[in-house]
Amino acid sequence: MPEGDCTKRRARLGEAVTEAEIEALVRGICFKTGPPTRTGVELEWLVHAPDAPSVPVSSARVEAARAALRTKSLHSVVTVEPGGQLELSSLPAASLMECVSTVSADLAVVRDTLRTLDLTLTGLGADPWRAPARILHEPRYDAMESWLDRAGDAGRRMMCSTASVQICLDAGYEEPGPLGYARRWRLAHLLGPVLVAAFANSPLQDGRRTGWRSTRQAVWAGIDPGRSGAPPLDEEPRAAWTRHTLDTPVMCVRADSAPWLVPDGLSLRSWARSGEPRPPTRDDLDYHLTTLFPPVRPRGHLELRMVDAQPGEDGWIVPLAVTSALFDDPGAAETAYRTVKPLAERAGATPPPHSPLWLDAARHGLADPELQEAAAVCFAAALDALPRLGAAPHVLNAVADHADRYVARGRCPADDLLDEAHTYGTSLPGKDAHR
Protein backbone atom coordinates (compact mmCIF):
# COMPACT_ATOMS: atom_id res chain seq x y z
CA MET A 1 0.00 0.00 0.00
CA PRO A 2 1.39 3.45 -0.86
CA GLU A 3 2.53 5.33 2.20
CA GLY A 4 0.03 8.15 1.68
CA ASP A 5 -2.92 5.76 1.55
CA CYS A 6 -1.72 4.07 4.72
CA THR A 7 -1.72 7.32 6.68
CA LYS A 8 -5.33 8.02 5.68
CA ARG A 9 -6.44 4.78 7.31
CA ARG A 10 -4.07 4.85 10.27
CA ALA A 11 -5.76 3.71 13.46
CA ARG A 12 -5.45 5.75 16.62
CA LEU A 13 -3.16 4.22 19.21
CA GLY A 14 -5.88 2.98 21.52
CA GLU A 15 -8.19 1.58 18.84
CA ALA A 16 -8.34 -2.11 17.98
CA VAL A 17 -6.75 -3.06 14.67
CA THR A 18 -7.54 -5.94 12.36
CA GLU A 19 -5.05 -8.22 10.66
CA ALA A 20 -5.51 -6.30 7.39
CA GLU A 21 -4.95 -2.97 9.13
CA ILE A 22 -1.81 -4.27 10.83
CA GLU A 23 -0.46 -5.45 7.49
CA ALA A 24 -1.16 -2.08 5.88
CA LEU A 25 0.41 -0.19 8.77
CA VAL A 26 3.60 -2.27 8.79
CA ARG A 27 3.99 -2.02 5.02
CA GLY A 28 3.53 1.72 5.25
CA ILE A 29 5.99 2.43 8.06
CA CYS A 30 8.81 -0.11 7.72
CA PHE A 31 10.65 1.53 4.79
CA LYS A 32 10.23 5.30 4.41
CA THR A 33 11.81 5.98 1.05
CA GLY A 34 13.47 9.08 -0.33
CA PRO A 35 16.95 10.59 -0.70
CA PRO A 36 19.32 9.05 1.88
CA THR A 37 20.47 12.16 3.72
CA ARG A 38 20.11 11.51 7.46
CA THR A 39 22.38 9.66 9.86
CA GLY A 40 21.92 8.57 13.46
CA VAL A 41 23.61 6.42 16.05
CA GLU A 42 22.65 4.67 19.28
CA LEU A 43 25.52 4.03 21.69
CA GLU A 44 25.32 1.59 24.57
CA TRP A 45 27.97 1.56 27.30
CA LEU A 46 28.81 -0.53 30.33
CA VAL A 47 28.74 1.54 33.53
CA HIS A 48 31.02 0.91 36.49
CA ALA A 49 33.29 2.57 39.03
CA PRO A 50 36.60 3.59 37.41
CA ASP A 51 38.75 1.31 39.57
CA ALA A 52 36.23 -1.50 40.08
CA PRO A 53 34.77 -2.66 36.76
CA SER A 54 33.98 -6.11 38.15
CA VAL A 55 31.81 -4.72 40.97
CA PRO A 56 28.09 -4.39 40.19
CA VAL A 57 26.66 -0.89 40.30
CA SER A 58 23.57 -0.61 42.46
CA SER A 59 20.23 0.47 41.04
CA ALA A 60 20.33 3.49 43.37
CA ARG A 61 23.60 4.71 41.84
CA VAL A 62 22.32 4.17 38.30
CA GLU A 63 19.13 6.07 39.15
CA ALA A 64 21.22 8.89 40.63
CA ALA A 65 23.18 9.05 37.39
CA ARG A 66 20.01 9.12 35.33
CA ALA A 67 18.56 11.86 37.50
CA ALA A 68 21.73 13.94 37.17
CA LEU A 69 21.74 13.55 33.40
CA ARG A 70 18.13 14.71 33.17
CA THR A 71 19.29 18.12 34.38
CA LYS A 72 21.74 18.49 31.48
CA SER A 73 21.02 20.02 28.09
CA LEU A 74 21.65 17.16 25.70
CA HIS A 75 20.67 16.66 22.09
CA SER A 76 20.70 12.87 22.48
CA VAL A 77 18.12 10.88 24.41
CA VAL A 78 19.67 9.10 27.40
CA THR A 79 18.11 5.86 28.65
CA VAL A 80 19.14 3.01 30.92
CA GLU A 81 19.07 -0.62 29.81
CA PRO A 82 17.86 -3.44 32.13
CA GLY A 83 21.35 -4.30 33.39
CA GLY A 84 22.34 -0.69 33.99
CA GLN A 85 23.96 -0.05 30.61
CA LEU A 86 23.65 3.56 29.51
CA GLU A 87 22.38 4.36 26.01
CA LEU A 88 22.64 7.60 24.05
CA SER A 89 20.34 7.83 21.04
CA SER A 90 21.05 10.68 18.68
CA LEU A 91 18.45 12.65 16.82
CA PRO A 92 18.52 12.25 13.01
CA ALA A 93 21.39 14.37 11.71
CA ALA A 94 21.64 15.98 8.29
CA SER A 95 25.19 14.69 7.78
CA LEU A 96 27.76 12.32 9.20
CA MET A 97 29.76 15.15 10.76
CA GLU A 98 26.69 16.72 12.36
CA CYS A 99 25.99 13.36 13.99
CA VAL A 100 29.60 12.91 15.13
CA SER A 101 29.90 16.44 16.51
CA THR A 102 26.57 16.41 18.35
CA VAL A 103 27.01 13.00 19.95
CA SER A 104 30.65 13.72 20.87
CA ALA A 105 29.56 16.87 22.70
CA ASP A 106 26.80 14.98 24.50
CA LEU A 107 29.20 12.22 25.50
CA ALA A 108 31.60 14.76 27.00
CA VAL A 109 28.78 16.07 29.20
CA VAL A 110 27.72 12.55 30.17
CA ARG A 111 31.26 11.52 31.10
CA ASP A 112 31.81 14.67 33.16
CA THR A 113 28.53 14.13 34.97
CA LEU A 114 29.27 10.49 35.73
CA ARG A 115 32.75 11.38 36.93
CA THR A 116 31.25 13.42 39.77
CA LEU A 117 29.38 10.27 40.81
CA ASP A 118 32.52 8.09 40.63
CA LEU A 119 31.22 6.26 37.57
CA THR A 120 32.59 5.81 34.08
CA LEU A 121 31.66 4.35 30.70
CA THR A 122 33.43 1.46 28.98
CA GLY A 123 32.96 0.34 25.40
CA LEU A 124 32.79 -3.47 25.30
CA GLY A 125 30.30 -5.63 23.44
CA ALA A 126 29.72 -7.84 26.46
CA ASP A 127 30.50 -7.43 30.13
CA PRO A 128 33.62 -9.55 30.73
CA TRP A 129 33.45 -9.42 34.53
CA ARG A 130 29.94 -9.39 35.97
CA ALA A 131 27.17 -11.96 35.77
CA PRO A 132 23.92 -10.65 34.26
CA ALA A 133 21.81 -8.94 36.88
CA ARG A 134 18.73 -6.87 36.08
CA ILE A 135 18.41 -3.63 38.01
CA LEU A 136 15.31 -2.27 36.25
CA HIS A 137 12.18 -3.93 37.57
CA GLU A 138 9.33 -2.78 35.38
CA PRO A 139 6.46 -4.78 33.84
CA ARG A 140 8.07 -4.56 30.40
CA TYR A 141 11.33 -6.12 31.54
CA ASP A 142 9.64 -8.61 33.86
CA ALA A 143 7.64 -9.88 30.88
CA MET A 144 10.65 -9.83 28.56
CA GLU A 145 12.75 -11.84 30.98
CA SER A 146 9.96 -14.36 31.49
CA TRP A 147 9.53 -14.83 27.74
CA LEU A 148 13.25 -15.03 26.94
CA ASP A 149 13.96 -17.46 29.80
CA ARG A 150 11.99 -20.10 27.94
CA ALA A 151 14.86 -20.43 25.46
CA GLY A 152 17.73 -20.43 28.00
CA ASP A 153 19.97 -17.85 29.65
CA ALA A 154 21.02 -15.99 26.48
CA GLY A 155 18.08 -13.63 26.84
CA ARG A 156 19.15 -12.44 30.29
CA ARG A 157 22.68 -11.84 29.04
CA MET A 158 21.32 -9.94 26.05
CA MET A 159 19.25 -7.70 28.32
CA CYS A 160 21.79 -7.11 31.07
CA SER A 161 25.33 -7.69 29.80
CA THR A 162 25.67 -6.50 26.19
CA ALA A 163 26.37 -3.15 24.57
CA SER A 164 26.53 -2.04 20.95
CA VAL A 165 26.96 0.68 18.38
CA GLN A 166 23.71 0.82 16.41
CA ILE A 167 23.92 2.74 13.15
CA CYS A 168 20.78 4.33 11.71
CA LEU A 169 20.56 5.24 8.02
CA ASP A 170 17.75 6.26 5.70
CA ALA A 171 16.07 3.40 3.88
CA GLY A 172 16.92 4.90 0.49
CA TYR A 173 15.10 5.58 -2.75
CA GLU A 174 12.03 3.69 -3.86
CA GLU A 175 13.65 3.07 -7.23
CA PRO A 176 16.30 0.40 -7.95
CA GLY A 177 20.01 1.19 -7.86
CA PRO A 178 22.83 1.39 -5.33
CA LEU A 179 20.86 3.83 -3.15
CA GLY A 180 17.50 2.09 -3.53
CA TYR A 181 15.90 0.65 -0.42
CA ALA A 182 15.85 -2.95 -1.69
CA ARG A 183 19.59 -2.84 -2.49
CA ARG A 184 20.41 -1.17 0.84
CA TRP A 185 18.38 -3.78 2.70
CA ARG A 186 20.31 -6.59 1.02
CA LEU A 187 23.65 -4.79 1.41
CA ALA A 188 23.05 -4.39 5.15
CA HIS A 189 22.65 -8.15 5.60
CA LEU A 190 25.63 -9.08 3.40
CA LEU A 191 27.89 -6.40 4.87
CA GLY A 192 26.73 -7.28 8.38
CA PRO A 193 29.17 -10.15 9.00
CA VAL A 194 32.04 -7.99 7.73
CA LEU A 195 31.10 -5.36 10.30
CA VAL A 196 30.74 -8.02 13.00
CA ALA A 197 34.23 -9.29 12.23
CA ALA A 198 35.95 -5.91 11.83
CA PHE A 199 34.56 -4.51 15.09
CA ALA A 200 34.27 -7.62 17.28
CA ASN A 201 35.08 -6.53 20.82
CA SER A 202 33.71 -9.06 23.31
CA PRO A 203 35.81 -12.23 23.65
CA LEU A 204 35.37 -12.63 27.42
CA GLN A 205 32.50 -13.46 29.72
CA ASP A 206 32.43 -14.25 33.44
CA GLY A 207 36.18 -13.55 33.49
CA ARG A 208 37.00 -16.22 30.91
CA ARG A 209 37.56 -16.59 27.19
CA THR A 210 34.41 -17.69 25.40
CA GLY A 211 35.87 -18.86 22.08
CA TRP A 212 34.11 -16.01 20.27
CA ARG A 213 35.57 -12.70 19.13
CA SER A 214 32.06 -11.27 19.45
CA THR A 215 30.39 -12.97 22.39
CA ARG A 216 27.71 -10.32 22.12
CA GLN A 217 26.78 -11.55 18.64
CA ALA A 218 26.79 -15.14 19.86
CA VAL A 219 24.44 -14.15 22.69
CA TRP A 220 22.02 -12.47 20.29
CA ALA A 221 22.12 -15.52 18.04
CA GLY A 222 21.32 -17.65 21.09
CA ILE A 223 17.90 -16.17 21.78
CA ASP A 224 14.77 -17.34 20.00
CA PRO A 225 15.58 -17.44 16.24
CA GLY A 226 12.18 -16.09 15.26
CA ARG A 227 12.76 -12.97 17.33
CA SER A 228 16.47 -12.42 16.62
CA GLY A 229 16.53 -13.58 13.00
CA ALA A 230 16.01 -11.70 9.77
CA PRO A 231 13.13 -12.50 7.42
CA PRO A 232 13.95 -14.30 4.14
CA LEU A 233 16.23 -12.06 2.07
CA ASP A 234 15.21 -13.42 -1.35
CA GLU A 235 11.76 -11.80 -1.09
CA GLU A 236 10.51 -8.25 -1.53
CA PRO A 237 11.58 -6.48 1.69
CA ARG A 238 8.25 -4.92 2.65
CA ALA A 239 6.33 -8.13 2.13
CA ALA A 240 8.93 -10.22 3.96
CA TRP A 241 9.11 -7.90 6.96
CA THR A 242 5.35 -7.55 7.20
CA ARG A 243 4.85 -11.31 7.25
CA HIS A 244 7.70 -11.66 9.77
CA THR A 245 6.06 -9.09 12.05
CA LEU A 246 2.69 -10.84 11.92
CA ASP A 247 4.06 -14.36 12.41
CA THR A 248 6.47 -13.66 15.28
CA PRO A 249 4.98 -14.46 18.71
CA VAL A 250 4.06 -11.48 20.83
CA MET A 251 6.25 -11.17 23.90
CA CYS A 252 3.47 -9.99 26.17
CA VAL A 253 -0.03 -8.54 26.36
CA ARG A 254 0.23 -5.32 28.31
CA ALA A 255 -2.20 -4.41 31.06
CA ASP A 256 -2.88 -1.51 33.40
CA SER A 257 -1.49 -3.52 36.29
CA ALA A 258 1.43 -5.92 36.66
CA PRO A 259 2.27 -8.61 35.87
CA TRP A 260 1.63 -8.51 32.14
CA LEU A 261 0.41 -11.67 30.45
CA VAL A 262 3.22 -13.62 28.74
CA PRO A 263 1.51 -15.94 26.26
CA ASP A 264 3.14 -19.00 24.76
CA GLY A 265 3.33 -19.03 20.97
CA LEU A 266 0.67 -16.39 20.30
CA SER A 267 1.64 -14.70 17.04
CA LEU A 268 0.46 -11.19 16.29
CA ARG A 269 -1.56 -12.63 13.40
CA SER A 270 -3.31 -15.14 15.67
CA TRP A 271 -3.96 -12.44 18.25
CA ALA A 272 -5.58 -10.19 15.65
CA ARG A 273 -7.74 -13.02 14.34
CA SER A 274 -8.91 -14.27 17.73
CA GLY A 275 -9.17 -10.98 19.62
CA GLU A 276 -8.20 -12.85 22.77
CA PRO A 277 -7.36 -12.10 25.55
CA ARG A 278 -8.36 -8.67 24.19
CA PRO A 279 -8.17 -7.18 20.70
CA PRO A 280 -4.73 -5.75 19.80
CA THR A 281 -4.42 -2.00 19.26
CA ARG A 282 -2.15 0.19 17.19
CA ASP A 283 -0.19 0.81 20.37
CA ASP A 284 0.27 -2.95 20.77
CA LEU A 285 1.61 -3.13 17.21
CA ASP A 286 4.11 -0.34 17.88
CA TYR A 287 5.22 -2.12 21.05
CA HIS A 288 5.50 -5.49 19.29
CA LEU A 289 7.83 -3.95 16.70
CA THR A 290 10.20 -2.87 19.49
CA THR A 291 10.46 -6.49 20.68
CA LEU A 292 11.80 -7.78 17.35
CA PHE A 293 15.60 -7.97 17.46
CA PRO A 294 16.98 -8.84 14.01
CA PRO A 295 20.46 -7.62 13.05
CA VAL A 296 18.88 -5.09 10.66
CA ARG A 297 15.59 -3.60 11.80
CA PRO A 298 13.48 -1.47 9.45
CA ARG A 299 11.92 1.37 11.43
CA GLY A 300 11.21 3.64 8.50
CA HIS A 301 14.99 3.93 8.42
CA LEU A 302 17.44 1.01 8.66
CA GLU A 303 18.83 0.25 12.10
CA LEU A 304 22.04 -1.83 11.87
CA ARG A 305 22.43 -3.64 15.18
CA MET A 306 25.41 -5.97 14.70
CA VAL A 307 28.39 -3.87 15.87
CA ASP A 308 29.90 -4.36 19.34
CA ALA A 309 30.45 -1.32 21.53
CA GLN A 310 33.92 -0.03 20.73
CA PRO A 311 37.00 0.72 22.88
CA GLY A 312 38.10 4.23 23.76
CA GLU A 313 36.07 7.40 24.03
CA ASP A 314 35.77 7.85 20.25
CA GLY A 315 36.00 4.30 18.93
CA TRP A 316 32.29 4.38 18.02
CA ILE A 317 33.01 6.95 15.31
CA VAL A 318 34.79 4.39 13.12
CA PRO A 319 31.91 1.96 12.47
CA LEU A 320 29.54 4.89 12.09
CA ALA A 321 31.78 6.56 9.49
CA VAL A 322 32.61 3.38 7.57
CA THR A 323 29.01 2.23 7.39
CA SER A 324 27.71 5.67 6.43
CA ALA A 325 30.23 5.92 3.61
CA LEU A 326 29.44 2.45 2.26
CA PHE A 327 25.72 3.21 2.18
CA ASP A 328 25.42 6.88 1.29
CA ASP A 329 28.17 7.39 -1.29
CA PRO A 330 26.99 5.80 -4.58
CA GLY A 331 30.46 4.70 -5.68
CA ALA A 332 31.35 3.19 -2.32
CA ALA A 333 27.94 1.53 -2.09
CA GLU A 334 28.46 -0.16 -5.45
CA THR A 335 31.97 -1.29 -4.49
CA ALA A 336 30.74 -2.65 -1.16
CA TYR A 337 27.88 -4.54 -2.78
CA ARG A 338 30.11 -6.13 -5.42
CA THR A 339 32.56 -7.10 -2.67
CA VAL A 340 30.09 -8.73 -0.30
CA LYS A 341 27.71 -10.23 -2.85
CA PRO A 342 29.82 -13.42 -3.23
CA LEU A 343 29.45 -13.97 0.53
CA ALA A 344 25.79 -14.85 -0.03
CA GLU A 345 26.71 -18.35 -1.17
CA ARG A 346 28.62 -18.98 2.04
CA ALA A 347 25.80 -17.53 4.13
CA GLY A 348 23.39 -20.10 2.73
CA ALA A 349 19.63 -20.09 3.19
CA THR A 350 19.59 -19.64 6.97
CA PRO A 351 18.66 -16.04 7.81
CA PRO A 352 21.16 -13.87 9.70
CA PRO A 353 22.48 -13.93 12.37
CA HIS A 354 22.22 -17.72 12.52
CA SER A 355 23.83 -18.49 9.16
CA PRO A 356 27.30 -20.08 9.02
CA LEU A 357 28.82 -16.85 7.71
CA TRP A 358 27.49 -14.71 10.55
CA LEU A 359 28.54 -17.26 13.16
CA ASP A 360 32.04 -17.51 11.63
CA ALA A 361 32.33 -13.73 11.76
CA ALA A 362 31.40 -13.71 15.44
CA ARG A 363 33.72 -16.57 16.28
CA HIS A 364 36.82 -15.71 14.24
CA GLY A 365 36.61 -11.99 13.47
CA LEU A 366 39.02 -10.94 10.73
CA ALA A 367 41.13 -14.04 11.28
CA ASP A 368 38.72 -15.41 8.66
CA PRO A 369 40.59 -14.75 5.36
CA GLU A 370 37.49 -14.13 3.24
CA LEU A 371 36.06 -11.65 5.71
CA GLN A 372 39.42 -9.91 6.04
CA GLU A 373 39.67 -9.52 2.27
CA ALA A 374 36.17 -8.08 2.08
CA ALA A 375 36.86 -5.73 4.99
CA ALA A 376 40.04 -4.44 3.36
CA VAL A 377 38.18 -3.53 0.17
CA CYS A 378 35.30 -1.96 2.08
CA PHE A 379 37.55 0.13 4.35
CA ALA A 380 39.47 1.37 1.30
CA ALA A 381 36.21 2.34 -0.40
CA ALA A 382 35.04 4.10 2.75
CA LEU A 383 38.28 6.04 3.08
CA ASP A 384 37.96 7.14 -0.53
CA ALA A 385 34.33 8.22 -0.05
CA LEU A 386 34.49 9.93 3.34
CA PRO A 387 35.98 13.21 2.05
CA ARG A 388 33.05 13.44 -0.37
CA LEU A 389 30.72 13.15 2.64
CA GLY A 390 32.54 16.00 4.37
CA ALA A 391 34.33 13.88 6.97
CA ALA A 392 36.76 15.85 9.14
CA PRO A 393 40.45 14.89 9.35
CA HIS A 394 40.08 13.30 12.79
CA VAL A 395 37.37 10.97 11.44
CA LEU A 396 39.50 10.01 8.43
CA ASN A 397 42.47 9.40 10.71
CA ALA A 398 40.42 7.20 13.04
CA VAL A 399 39.17 5.04 10.14
CA ALA A 400 42.66 4.80 8.64
CA ASP A 401 44.12 3.83 12.01
CA HIS A 402 41.56 1.05 12.45
CA ALA A 403 42.30 -0.18 8.93
CA ASP A 404 46.06 -0.27 9.60
CA ARG A 405 45.91 -1.61 13.14
CA TYR A 406 43.27 -4.28 12.62
CA VAL A 407 42.01 -4.88 9.08
CA ALA A 408 45.39 -5.06 7.39
CA ARG A 409 46.60 -7.54 10.02
CA GLY A 410 43.51 -9.73 10.20
CA ARG A 411 42.72 -8.54 13.72
CA CYS A 412 39.86 -6.90 15.55
CA PRO A 413 39.62 -5.13 18.94
CA ALA A 414 38.79 -8.46 20.58
CA ASP A 415 42.30 -9.67 19.77
CA ASP A 416 43.77 -6.93 21.95
CA LEU A 417 41.66 -8.15 24.85
CA LEU A 418 42.69 -11.74 24.20
CA ASP A 419 46.35 -10.69 24.18
CA GLU A 420 45.86 -9.03 27.58
CA ALA A 421 44.04 -12.09 28.90
CA HIS A 422 46.92 -14.29 27.72
CA THR A 423 49.39 -12.05 29.50
CA TYR A 424 47.52 -11.98 32.80
CA GLY A 425 45.95 -15.45 32.77
CA THR A 426 42.42 -16.61 32.15
CA SER A 427 40.76 -13.40 33.30
CA LEU A 428 41.20 -9.82 32.31
CA PRO A 429 42.36 -7.68 35.26
CA GLY A 430 39.98 -4.86 36.00
CA LYS A 431 42.50 -2.03 36.13
CA ASP A 432 43.85 -2.94 32.69
CA ALA A 433 40.48 -3.74 31.14
CA HIS A 434 39.16 -0.19 31.42
CA ARG A 435 39.33 1.01 27.84
Side-chain angles (χ1 to χ4, degrees), residues 44 54 58 60 71 77 84 92 126 139 151 164 187 189 193 250 301 306 319 365 413 425 433:
E44 296 172 339
S54 62
S58 69
T71 68
V77 177
S164 68
L187 173 61
H189 289 91
V250 296
H301 58 276
M306 70 286 295

Side-chain angles (χ1 to χ4, degrees), residues 9-99:
R9 297 180 53 195
R10 182 167 294 170
R12 289 193 292 270
L13 293 180
E15 291 184 347
V17 288
T18 66
E19 180 182 352
E21 288 171 332
I22 290 172
E23 183 172 355
L25 285 163
V26 175
R27 288 182 67 91
I29 63 179
C30 58
F31 294 93
K32 299 285 189 181
T33 54
T37 58
R38 293 170 300 176
T39 302
V41 70
E42 299 175 21
L43 304 178
E44 296 172 339
W45 303 87
L46 304 182
V47 178
H48 57 83
D51 297 324
S54 62
V55 177
V57 177
S58 69
S59 58
R61 293 186 71 190
V62 172
E63 181 53 40
R66 179 160 56 175
L69 290 170
R70 288 198 192 105
T71 68
K72 306 300 179 181
S73 296
L74 301 172
H75 294 87
S76 304
V77 177
V78 179
T79 54
V80 175
E81 295 296 299
Q85 313 96 305
L86 199 71
E87 180 176 32
L88 272 73
S89 301
S90 76
L91 297 176
S95 67
L96 168 64
M97 285 312 305
E98 179 183 315
C99 184

Side-chain angles (χ1 to χ4, degrees), residues 38-198:
R38 293 170 300 176
T39 302
V41 70
E42 299 175 21
L43 304 178
E44 296 172 339
W45 303 87
L46 304 182
V47 178
H48 57 83
D51 297 324
S54 62
V55 177
V57 177
S58 69
S59 58
R61 293 186 71 190
V62 172
E63 181 53 40
R66 179 160 56 175
L69 290 170
R70 288 198 192 105
T71 68
K72 306 300 179 181
S73 296
L74 301 172
H75 294 87
S76 304
V77 177
V78 179
T79 54
V80 175
E81 295 296 299
Q85 313 96 305
L86 199 71
E87 180 176 32
L88 272 73
S89 301
S90 76
L91 297 176
S95 67
L96 168 64
M97 285 312 305
E98 179 183 315
C99 184
V100 169
S101 299
T102 300
V103 176
S104 295
D106 284 347
L107 268 173
V109 173
V110 170
R111 290 182 186 279
D112 286 345
T113 302
L114 293 182
R115 192 175 295 115
T116 66
L117 301 172
D118 195 33
L119 294 172
T120 192
L121 303 177
T122 288
L124 287 166
D127 195 320
W129 312 286
R130 300 170 293 192
R134 186 158 60 95
I135 66 169
L136 295 186
H137 296 279
E138 302 170 3
R140 166 187 171 92
Y141 297 122
D142 293 344
M144 182 180 292
E145 183 176 271
S146 178
W147 199 95
L148 291 170
D149 277 351
R150 294 169 179 170
D153 67 352
R156 292 196 181 205
R157 288 196 180 273
M158 176 271 287
M159 292 173 63
C160 301
S161 300
T162 63
S164 68
V165 175
Q166 298 178 16
I167 300 150
C168 301
L169 303 168
D170 279 330
Y173 289 104
E174 187 73 26
E175 297 76 20
L179 300 185
Y181 83 95
R183 168 71 73 83
R184 287 161 73 88
W185 174 250
R186 185 160 179 78
L187 173 61
H189 289 91
L190 292 176
L191 182 65
V194 178
L195 298 176
V196 170

Side-chain angles (χ1 to χ4, degrees), residues 284-304:
D284 291 318
L285 168 61
D286 291 346
Y287 180 81
H288 177 64
L289 290 170
T290 70
T291 68
L292 305 179
F293 306 129
V296 183
R297 186 161 63 179
R299 304 184 65 184
H301 58 276
L302 299 182
E303 183 183 83
L304 280 69

